[in-house]
Amino acid sequence: MTSPADKDIHKPSNFLRQIIEHDLAKGTYSGRQWGGSPGDAAHHAGGQPDPAKVRLRFPPEPNGYLHVGHAKSICLNFGLARDYQGVCHLRFDDTNPEKEDTEYVNAIKDAVQWLGFDWHNNGENNLYQASDYFDFMYRAAEYLIESGNAYVDEQSADEMRINRGDFVKPGVNSPFRSRPVAENLARFREMRDGKLADGAAVLRAKIDMASPNINLRDPAIYRIRRAHHHNTGDKWCIYPMYTYAHPIEDALEQITHSICTLEFEDQRPFYDWLLDKLAEGQLIASPHPRQYEFARLNLTYVLTSKRKLAQLVNEKRVSGWDDPRMPTIVGLRRRGYTPEAIHLFAERIGVTKSDSWIDYSTLEGALRDTLDPIAPRAMAVLDPVKLVLTNWDEVMGAGKLDDCSAPVHPHHPEQGKREFKIGKEVWIERTDYEETPPKGFFRLFPGNKVRLKYGHVIECTGASKDANGQVTEVQAKLIPDTKSGTPGSDAVKVKGVITWVGVNDAVQAEVRLYDRLFTEAHPEADGKDFLENLNPNSLSVVTAYVEPSLAGVAAGQRFQFERHGYFVTDLKDHASGKVVFNRVTGMKDSWAK
Ligand code: ATP
Ligand code: MG
């Protein structure tokens, strides 16, 4: 692929680009120092002026495989960094013990790289894990206690919930809220040292129990949880809450623009409150990062939640995270999507500040538009029935095979030709024959002439059927001197052209015809369980015949099968001796109303 760096930089603007351009023009971050690695204020103060004009981050939680929604976020964050001479960090947000797994860590790295992005910048490896910041997060918590901005609350969970109030009712101060600093500090250290039971106490920020924003009613920032962490082992029995951890992670990494989805909008005041306090205490560098929210991707016919995708995998509704029907990046890749298609999709949908649904056809459209100019063409017969040219022996000679050729790509003659042979018997699509043709049917029916694409004109004479009335063989006569590309070949006019593959040199292939995983555009609308809307026909497997040129192709090669759409050799099951194609998408949107 062309590296993202050489891509067209004249991208349509959006509110995030405007914010960054404004900050660059104003020099908001121009005085920043970078200590060469994440760290506190002193660490960065001892560094160099940051060579990166902006710093962004993509912060997945390694608890599942990334999906097309994450792809939007990756293209956005890494794309902005690329376009504004900045860098983008890949940060594993692993502050929640128990859930994470190295299988996911590796899959996430692969996904980012496959999309064409890299976390190595200016000779640095900007791959980080949030759990490396636990020591700092603890220190920051003690600072908040010492500066009178946090307290240990020992109300029960129920009391805490009731005293938080709701949208119409202000909260009630905890009786522990006015504890002296020294007592808070001692108690917090006891929490850390394992002297208190899980759930017995939490550390809360002391902000405002009457705030109209419930997130500011003294949010919990540390909880007790005796859990083994994949990185820090059993060192900690207290863990920071996500809303506390995330701003600190951004600050230590000197992120300038912290982009997240809209559901975090109400957390922004706490994000700023926390970082303002830590900057006041000179624990983190100034100016601190700012959070900006954009609308998450909602795609019709698709689930974008790791938890729900995990359910499909665990209940074996699909063959795995990389099932070609899955909207995971590994699934899309195996389905035949290219990184370019996903970049184009991300660009076309843009970024906005209000939630909306993107039609699935936008994703497929981006795929077709990127594959059409590059995919080599081939003929394939997906539902084969034999066509016999009954006069072949007299016209062409018994046993004779005639050479045919076709361009690899109709717009790229320089890519050369594909070669195949026609003989007395060819495979055609079952649907290309009708005994009694409906109106407007121009293909095979008794007495009608059609062209075998890249071959000869033939005239249908009839068909044989089995006891059930199923056609077993179609018969036709070859019209002499009509072969494509030979002088006078178009003297006989026909209205229909059909694709075919020679019986003699056809390659048998397993073709997996994939369709949408759900029958409903909104699989969970009206409170329905998405499992009820699974499309029972999302996969059908057929034995097809393809052109001989496809005999030796490698896995992951994409083709346009003429008339049928785009197909890719399966990354997992295609091997020498076993040809397996996945249908990527049809030639056009067959779901459009
Ligand atoms: P999920 O609910 O699927 O687990 P998540 O948001 O919890 O999603 P994270 O691993 O925390 O998953 O996400 C990493 C980044 O990807 C976040 O910055 C988040 O904003 C972004 N992201 C996740 N889902 C989407 C989506 N549908 N559209 C755009 N960005 C998304
Ligand atoms: Mg999450």
Side-chain angles (χ1 to χ4, degrees):
M1 66 181 280
T2 42
S3 90
D6 357 296
K7 285 247 169 89
D8 180 17
I9 47 162
H10 304 287
K11 302 268 167 57
S13 191
N14 60 48
F15 76 99
L16 291 170
R17 288 182 178 274
Q18 287 165 11
I19 288 166
I20 292 177
E21 285 164 14
H22 175 81
D23 282 335
L24 290 175
K26 245 181 47 183
T28 313
Y29 295 102
S30 57
R32 276 176 330 130
Q33 302 273 109
W34 168 245
S37 58
D40 62 10
H43 172 77
H44 289 303
Q48 305 294 318
D50 194 344
K53 293 233 170 25
V54 289
R55 280 187 190 264
L56 297 104
R57 85 289 174 265
F58 173 66
E61 190 177 351
N63 62 350
Y65 281 73
L66 300 184
H67 53 63
V68 61
H70 296 111
K72 173 181 178 180
S73 180
I74 293 170
C75 290
L76 178 63
N77 283 292
F78 281 90
L80 289 171
R82 169 197 67 208
D83 293 347
Y84 293 102
Q85 299 167 321
V87 302
C88 185
H89 300 181
L90 174 60
R91 177 202 309 150
F92 289 106
D93 211 326
D94 60 352
T95 52
N96 195 5
E98 293 161 335
K99 281 210 234 152
E100 285 100 23
D101 197 310
T102 45
E103 177 194 350
Y104 302 134
V105 167
N106 292 330
I108 290 169
K109 288 200 229 169
D110 281 350
V112 172
Q113 282 176 322
W114 180 72
L115 283 172
F117 295 112
D118 197 349
W119 49 87
H120 293 90
N121 311 104
N122 309 326
E124 269 170 25
N125 183 1
N126 295 122
L127 176 72
Y128 302 114
Q129 42 187 358
S131 55
D132 285 341
Y133 311 143
F134 281 160
D135 287 329
F136 180 88
M137 289 174 189
Y138 179 83
R139 189 178 129 209
E142 287 209 347
Y143 167 76
L144 290 178
I145 294 172
E146 284 162 353
S147 55
N149 289 302
Y151 62 99
V152 174
D153 194 354
E154 295 177 56
Q155 295 182 99
S156 70
D158 271 347
E159 287 166 336
M160 246 181 264
R161 191 174 37 75
I162 292 163
N163 289 338
R164 187 170 293 123
D166 54 32
F167 287 111
V168 288
K169 210 169 71 200
V172 175
N173 284 355
S174 163
F176 297 94
R177 200 174 196 263
S178 48
R179 280 180 149 172
V181 166
E183 187 183 321
N184 275 316
L185 202 54
R187 211 61 182 137
F188 186 50
R189 287 178 181 167
E190 282 169 13
M191 283 170 63
R192 177 198 60 192
D193 297 338
K195 305 248 164 68
L196 276 76
D198 282 19
V202 292
L203 183 70
R204 294 177 79 172
K206 195 192 256 186
I207 310 179
D208 178 7
M209 288 305 289
S211 172
N213 182 341
I214 295 179
N215 296 300
L216 292 182
R217 295 186 189 170
D218 294 6
I221 60 181
Y222 259 98
R223 70 211 144 124
I224 308 171
R225 177 97 147 258
R226 283 172 177 75
H228 185 83
H229 189 279
H230 75 106
N231 180 27
T232 55
D234 296 318
K235 175 172 176 192
W236 297 96
C237 65
I238 56 171
Y239 288 95
M241 304 300 286
Y242 178 82
T243 47
Y244 171 77
H246 201 87
I248 293 181
E249 295 159 23
D250 286 341
L252 295 179
E253 292 181 22
Q254 284 282 56
I255 299 303
T256 54
H257 300 81
S258 175
I259 300 172
C260 63
T261 44
L262 279 176
E263 62 271 25
F264 292 99
E265 193 170 5
D266 289 345
Q267 292 289 354
R268 185 170 8 106
F270 177 67
Y271 187 102
D272 288 332
W273 179 91
L274 175 62
L275 295 189
D276 286 345
K277 297 285 175 219
L278 299 183
E280 257 166 50
Q282 300 188 348
L283 270 79
I284 59 164
S286 291
H288 67 66
R290 296 283 162 185
Q291 172 181 305
Y292 303 95
E293 308 86 19
F294 73 107
R296 59 182 286 118
L297 170 67
N298 296 311
L299 193 59
T300 58
Y301 300 98
V302 166
L303 292 180
T304 44
S305 150
K306 276 183 270 180
R307 186 177 56 75
K308 290 169 193 162
L309 296 175
Q311 190 182 343
L312 294 173
V313 173
N314 295 335
E315 294 183 8
K316 305 217 168 357
R317 310 283 176 160
V318 292
S319 66
W321 286 102
D322 67 349
D323 186 301
R325 290 165 295 182
M326 288 284 272
T328 49
I329 296 178
V330 278
L332 292 169
R333 178 178 181 180
R334 192 167 163 206
R335 176 70 169 266
Y337 273 80
T338 56
E340 290 79 2
I342 294 177
H343 284 262
L344 181 62
F345 171 68
E347 210 167 288
R348 283 184 180 169
I349 61 176
V351 277
T352 61
K353 279 201 260 194
S354 55
D355 272 319
S356 65
W357 284 81
I358 301 292
D359 201 272
Y360 189 74
S361 60
T362 310
L363 180 63
E364 291 189 315
L367 179 66
R368 285 190 199 96
D369 291 349
T370 46
L371 286 187
D372 181 50
I374 57 168
R377 277 29 177 186
M379 285 202 289
V381 177
L382 302 184
D383 183 10
V385 67
K386 199 176 272 181
L387 169 78
V388 178
L389 299 171
T390 50
N391 63 343
W392 181 273
D393 293 355
E394 301 101 82
V395 181
M396 304 295 293
K400 169 100 173 25
L401 294 172
D402 198 15
D403 293 326
C404 298
S405 72
V408 169
H409 193 291
H411 306 138
H412 296 288
E414 76 284 359
Q415 291 182 11
K417 301 214 164 241
R418 20 193 260 259
E419 312 283 339
F420 41 89
K421 292 184 195 300
I422 186 166
K424 182 173 181 155
E425 296 182 336
V426 301
W427 296 113
I428 61 166
E429 293 294 341
R430 180 168 292 281
T431 50
D432 281 347
Y433 174 80
E434 291 279 356
E435 193 172 33
T436 31
K439 203 163 173 279
F441 184 86
F442 299 121
R443 288 165 283 158
L444 294 169
F445 55 87
N448 195 40
K449 294 191 186 76
V450 301
R451 178 174 294 284
L452 293 174
K453 198 165 187 191
Y454 312 116
H456 309 71
V457 174
I458 60 170
E459 178 174 345
C460 182
T461 53
S464 318
K465 292 187 208 168
D466 64 15
N468 303 321
Q470 164 102 313
V471 172
T472 52
E473 181 190 288
V474 178
Q475 294 100 23
K477 280 196 188 119
L478 187 118
I479 315 284
D481 307 319
T482 55
K483 175 137 171 242
S484 254
T486 59
S489 63
D490 51 5
V492 181
K493 298 286 179 221
V494 294
K495 282 192 174 163
V497 178
I498 64 171
T499 47
W500 57 279
V501 177
V503 166
N504 196 71
D505 60 5
V507 172
Q508 206 180 71
E510 177 180 319
V511 177
R512 300 171 180 174
L513 300 170
Y514 290 106
D515 208 333
R516 298 176 186 193
L517 192 49
F518 296 98
T519 50
E520 296 294 320
H522 305 282
E524 299 180 288
D526 307 323
K528 270 181 299 189
D529 181 349
F530 57 86
L531 294 177
E532 285 170 32
N533 290 320
L534 277 172
N535 177 4
N537 304 316
S538 61
L539 169 61
S540 57
V541 181
V542 298
T543 301
Y545 290 105
V546 300
E547 255 182 55
S549 65
L550 300 186
V553 298
Q557 298 290 108
R558 297 166 186 86
F559 297 89
Q560 186 195 94
F561 288 174
E562 301 189 28
R563 291 169 74 196
H564 290 298
Y566 296 92
F567 291 74
V568 62
T569 36
D570 188 65
L571 282 173
K572 228 175 194 171
D573 301 332
H574 174 83
S576 65
K578 187 176 185 217
V579 181
V580 181
F581 279 96
N582 298 330
R583 177 165 65 197
V584 189
T585 181
M587 293 297 273
K588 24 179 214 281
D589 182 12
S590 56
W591 283 62
K593 303 272 146 56

